[in-house]
Amino acid sequence: MTHSDTFADFVTTRSPRLLRTAYLLTRDWALAEDLLQTSLVKAWSAWRRIDTDPEPYVRRILVNTYATWWRRRWRGEQPAAELPEPAGSEPHLAVDARDEVWRALGRLPRRQRAVLVLRYFEDLSEAQIAEVMGVSVGTVKSQAAKALARLRLDESLTIEGVLR
Amino acid sequence: MIDLKELLDDRSATPAGLVQHQRLQQVRGRITTRRRRRITAGGAFAAVLALVLTGYALTPAQRAAPDPATTPSAPTLAGFPEYAQGSRVVAAARSRPGEQVNVAWTPTTLDIALFTDCATGQADAVLAHEIKVNGHLLTSGTCGVSGLHWPHGDRMWAEKGVEIGKPAVFTMTALRVRRTVTTTDGESRTEDGPVPAGAVLGLAVGTRLPFTEYPLPARPDRLPALGDLRNGGEAADMPGEASQWMLSHPNLPLLSMSRNITWRGQYDLRLQAQTPGLLHVLIDGVEVYTGEWWTYEANEAGTWWSTDDSAAWAAIPGFTMPEDGDIVTVTVVPEHFTGTWQLRIVPLGGGATL
């Protein structure tokens, strides 16, 4: 297979999973698609130099592009202090703990959110996360600990020990 | 207890109806756009650099420590070299700082070329401008892209009131200053700002010359080697591309060559030649583009076309728009070359499948 063939095969077969990762980071399907395509374009530039499984490489581009995207003009994203209320939520309804956790995840700083997504969705080890994000294992540990602590301390989460 | 893994898995479940089958095509489109931007940026930079170097070479009196005048300077008109890129400059002017520039000229031909040269007074900045003729917008862009001409422009000139023997006024106006900024993550973007008060515009009108009447530079002892015709910086084909190449016959550089392509999507053409000459590109026998070389610097030339741009094709005399999917013959007719030339046809967009 040529490089073009392997790239096409990768986009066709592997990108749906990466789209889900991108969605967990951006929390918007259109932005996720934009992030994924941006990452794939960047990956193509180096495709010929990749002689192993390209997915970790593309994932690394995706996560780092997401983590630094705030520096760039990004038409689709409008910073907001508060995330919008989920559709259908009413104050008098019982608090859906899962929904609150999901919203609290959205309030995390980008790198902390990325660490949790890589750890709990991609099922990567701390060493693998460190490699993806280009940081030390210690940084991954501290970022994960801070992220989980913020979720537990989030005032919208009233249930103790919601995470495990 | 809430299982975070289960929550993330659940929340990221792909919604029904989410379109994903177009991703590959969209990624390819983005790659193409990125490459075209690089080509444009590279070309503009090369043009600006060439003008800077030309201006430096032609204005020794303005330098602090002029070189000894061992070689007479080529004639200039308002700082523009009299002969450039197959044309002879016949009228030119430069503005005073902050003003527009007007060039009055009575056409003797409608085979016209325009040259621009600007100074912003600011580092790494260029001027975005527009050029009007007789009050009609002719073109706009970034100053420094020299040698504009319109091979099939007779009808266009007529619409703008430009006729042989009738005085015409070309006006160039600065719109804004533009600079390229590199962000911390290596991406680049352009930023626009107001026109600096000290900005100076230069505009020259030239008439195109027959190849045999143009004063070519002396042939060097050793011709430069041809490159690998990188398309947007890439030597290899992108996904879905299958470039076709034409290389001149080793002993017969004036031998024509042909290739068949499918009329669909977009095509990039990259061309290069060692010596001065003309490469006429024909589709089914009708000339649609001419690559020109007036030096021995082995510069690359290039063009691209979209097969569904009916307005552009209608402007080419004698050209009949093929149907989508038709097989058409691209023929290259070389003229005047005394060295090697090469051409790369790169299919883009809907014309290729993966």
Side-chain angles (χ1 to χ4, degrees), chain B residues 91-267:
Chain B
R94 287 184 186 274
S95 71
R96 287 186 290 188
E99 297 184 359
Q100 66 179 29
V101 62
N102 297 306
V103 177
W105 175 63
T106 302
T108 55
T109 174
L110 295 181
D111 202 0
I112 299 169
L114 294 181
F115 299 88
T116 61
D117 183 17
C118 303
T120 63
Q122 297 181 354
D124 304 324
V126 294
L127 280 179
H129 70 277
E130 65 178 17
I131 298 174
K132 293 182 176 178
V133 58
N134 300 331
H136 302 283
L137 181 64
L138 179 61
T139 184
S140 60
T142 303
C143 189
V145 180
S146 61
L148 287 172
H149 68 101
W150 294 264
H152 308 291
D154 286 16
R155 189 166 61 186
M156 182 270 292
W157 289 121
E159 290 171 353
K160 299 182 187 307
V162 178
E163 301 173 18
I164 293 175
K166 179 182 171 184
V169 178
F170 293 80
T171 304
M172 180 181 183
T173 307
L175 301 176
R176 65 191 73 87
V177 71
R178 177 169 294 169
R179 58 173 52 82
T180 301
V181 177
T182 302
T183 57
T184 50
D185 55 348
E187 295 288 329
S188 61
R189 68 171 187 270
T190 57
E191 288 183 349
D192 290 346
V195 178
V200 176
L201 307 174
L203 175 65
V205 179
T207 57
R208 305 272 297 159
L209 295 178
F211 189 89
T212 51
E213 294 181 16
Y214 185 84
L216 296 173
R219 183 185 176 97
D221 295 334
R222 186 171 184 172
L223 294 175
L226 295 182
D228 52 9
L229 285 183
R230 290 174 176 269
N231 191 28
E234 300 287 342
D237 285 340
M238 287 195 317
E241 289 179 355
S243 292
Q244 296 205 47
W245 291 79
M246 292 189 222
L247 182 65
S248 60
H249 187 284
N251 301 317
L252 300 170
L254 300 182
L255 197 65
S256 298
M257 295 189 181
S258 295
R259 290 282 186 279
N260 289 337
I261 64 169
T262 303
W263 186 260
R264 185 179 298 144
Q266 299 178 341
Y267 286 89

Side-chain angles (χ1 to χ4, degrees), chain A residues 106-160:
Chain A
R107 285 190 283 268
L108 291 178
R110 290 188 173 205
R111 289 188 178 276
Q112 292 182 16
R113 198 189 314 172
V115 168
L116 293 190
V117 168
L118 293 174
R119 178 70 188 92
Y120 292 100
F121 178 70
E122 293 284 3
D123 215 15
L124 300 186
S125 67
E126 290 171 336
Q128 288 171 318
I129 295 171
E131 189 177 344
V132 166
M133 299 185 68
V135 298
S136 67
V137 173
T139 300
V140 171
K141 287 180 178 177
S142 66
Q143 292 284 303
K146 287 177 182 174
L148 294 174
R150 287 182 72 140
L151 290 183
R152 291 192 177 97
L153 292 173
D154 194 295
E155 293 178 356
S156 68
L157 302 178
T158 56
I159 305 171
E160 288 294 323

Side-chain angles (χ1 to χ4, degrees), chain A residues 4 7-8 11-12 15-17 19-20 23-24 29 33-34 36-38 40-42 44-45 48 68 71-72 97-99 101-102 105 116-117 120-121 123 148 161-164, chain B residues 1-15 18-20 22-24 26-28 30-31 34-35 38 183-185 187 189 234-241 354:
Chain A
S4 298
F7 183 75
V11 174
T12 304
S15 65
R17 171 74 181 181
L19 179 69
R20 296 180 66 185
Y23 172 74
L24 290 173
W29 287 106
E33 183 69 43
D34 193 17
L36 173 60
Q37 290 190 15
T38 300
L40 290 169
V41 170
K42 288 183 177 181
W44 166 249
S45 302
R48 277 170 290 159
T68 57
R71 296 177 185 151
R72 301 168 42 200
R98 286 167 55 90
D99 204 47
V101 173
W102 172 245
L105 275 167
L116 293 190
V117 168
Y120 292 100
F121 178 70
D123 215 15
L148 294 174
V162 292
L163 303 166
R164 70 181 182 192
Chain B
M1 298 281 278
I2 292 178
D3 187 326
L4 192 54
K5 182 176 177 59
E6 184 182 286
L7 174 67
L8 294 176
D9 195 58
D10 179 53
R11 293 288 173 144
S12 67
T14 309
L18 188 71
V19 175
Q20 297 201 62
Q22 295 177 345
R23 182 174 303 130
L24 184 55
Q26 289 166 346
V27 169
R28 288 184 53 234
R30 285 186 177 207
I31 294 171
R34 183 170 165 152
R35 295 169 70 173
R38 287 179 179 174
T183 57
T184 50
D185 55 348
E187 295 288 329
R189 68 171 187 270
E234 300 287 342
D237 285 340
M238 287 195 317
E241 289 179 355
L354 288 166

Side-chain angles (χ1 to χ4, degrees), chain A residues 42-127:
Chain A
K42 288 183 177 181
W44 166 249
S45 302
W47 201 257
R48 277 170 290 159
R49 298 193 296 272
I50 304 173
D51 52 6
T52 57
D53 180 10
E55 187 163 333
Y57 180 76
V58 178
R59 188 186 294 113
R60 178 174 184 163
I61 293 175
L62 189 144
V63 171
N64 286 299
T65 300
Y66 163 75
T68 57
W69 227 344
W70 63 274
R71 296 177 185 151
R72 301 168 42 200
R73 178 176 61 89
W74 189 15
R75 291 186 296 270
E77 188 178 48
Q78 298 296 328
E82 296 294 331
L83 289 169
E85 290 295 319
S89 71
E90 297 292 342
H92 63 275
L93 297 179
V95 174
D96 182 330
R98 286 167 55 90
D99 204 47
E100 291 292 0
V101 173
W102 172 245
R103 295 174 62 202
L105 275 167
R107 285 190 283 268
L108 291 178
R110 290 188 173 205
R111 289 188 178 276
Q112 292 182 16
R113 198 189 314 172
V115 168
L116 293 190
V117 168
L118 293 174
R119 178 70 188 92
Y120 292 100
F121 178 70
E122 293 284 3
D123 215 15
L124 300 186
S125 67
E126 290 171 336

